[in-house]
Amino acid sequence: MEPIKLNEMDSVRVIGVTVTDSLRNILEKGFVRDMHSTMRYRMTELESRTDDGVYLIQIYPKDEAFTPDIPYENIVGVSVTTDQHIPEGMIEYTIPAGRYAQFLHRGPESNIHQTYDGITEWLRMQYCDPSREIDIEYWDDRYKGESEDSEIDLYVPLQK
């Protein structure tokens, strides 16, 4: 799997909702799907959003090998300007500026693990170490859940 492009990204201020749990629980209990619905419903509270796309930011533990049973943080939110206040029950996170590889997942969201497997293999071939502290998904109007026509942009930071 090859990235669509490699690019320098500016930092992005995101306000949204968060949960920390294992991948196994997140998938079984549908946490991210529920968080996405919550953000779509509460998006009007964020008057200073920069667009209508939704980010999923996955922040992994720094000192542990990732497995489906290791808890990690998931943030689902939208990008906002610096003057946006943080509504009750939401948090703020800044996606770090840096060099990212952008990939595209096409097809049902339930198959996204195949895209992540391809990303991990590409990182292993390019950088030897496929580990990373963060993965970012961006869902805009191309996101259609389980449809074959669905598209999700994925961003992974590149080590310097």
Side-chain angles (χ1 to χ4, degrees):
M1 164 165 279
E2 291 291 318
I4 295 171
K5 61 182 168 180
L6 306 177
N7 55 342
E8 293 293 326
M9 288 178 43
D10 293 331
S11 64
V12 178
R13 182 177 184 227
V14 174
I15 293 179
V17 293
T18 186
V19 66
T20 299
D21 209 330
S22 69
L23 178 61
R24 188 175 317 281
N25 285 340
I26 286 168
L27 292 175
E28 286 176 8
K29 297 176 181 173
F31 288 145
V32 170
R33 180 188 60 242
D34 293 346
M35 292 165 60
H36 183 256
S37 295
T38 297
M39 281 312 301
R40 284 283 174 208
Y41 178 76
R42 295 190 66 187
M43 196 178 280
T44 57
E45 296 176 49
L46 302 169
E47 310 87 25
S48 297
R49 65 184 178 278
T50 59
D51 60 41
D52 288 332
V54 176
Y55 286 94
L56 166 61
I57 304 159
Q58 302 167 103
I59 305 167
Y60 305 110
K62 290 180 172 71
D63 298 324
E64 288 185 77
F66 184 75
T67 72
D69 297 309
I70 300 282
Y72 67 104
E73 185 175 14
N74 289 263
I75 300 167
V76 176
V78 298
S79 63
V80 296
T81 61
T82 56
D83 60 344
Q84 174 67 54
H85 75 283
I86 303 169
E88 188 172 332
M90 292 190 188
I91 58 100
E92 173 183 19
Y93 179 80
T94 301
I95 297 172
R99 188 160 175 77
Y100 288 80
Q102 179 182 350
F103 296 87
L104 179 64
H105 171 73
R106 285 192 177 105
E109 184 178 7
S110 59
N111 292 340
I112 201 165
H113 65 280
Q114 295 168 348
T115 302
Y116 276 112
D117 289 348
I119 291 169
T120 298
E121 185 58 32
W122 181 82
L123 287 169
R124 185 174 283 116
M125 300 293 286
Q126 297 296 316
Y127 295 93
C128 297
D129 182 5
S131 63
R132 51 202 182 269
E133 294 179 8
I134 186 174
D135 283 327
I136 301 164
E137 295 179 19
Y138 183 72
W139 310 323
D140 56 18
D141 59 352
R142 298 170 299 143
Y143 171 72
K144 296 175 179 66
E146 290 303 304
S147 169
E148 291 293 330
D149 297 336
S150 186
E151 293 185 357
I152 301 171
D153 290 323
L154 295 94
Y155 298 89
V156 295
L158 299 176
Q159 298 176 7
K160 297 179 180 185

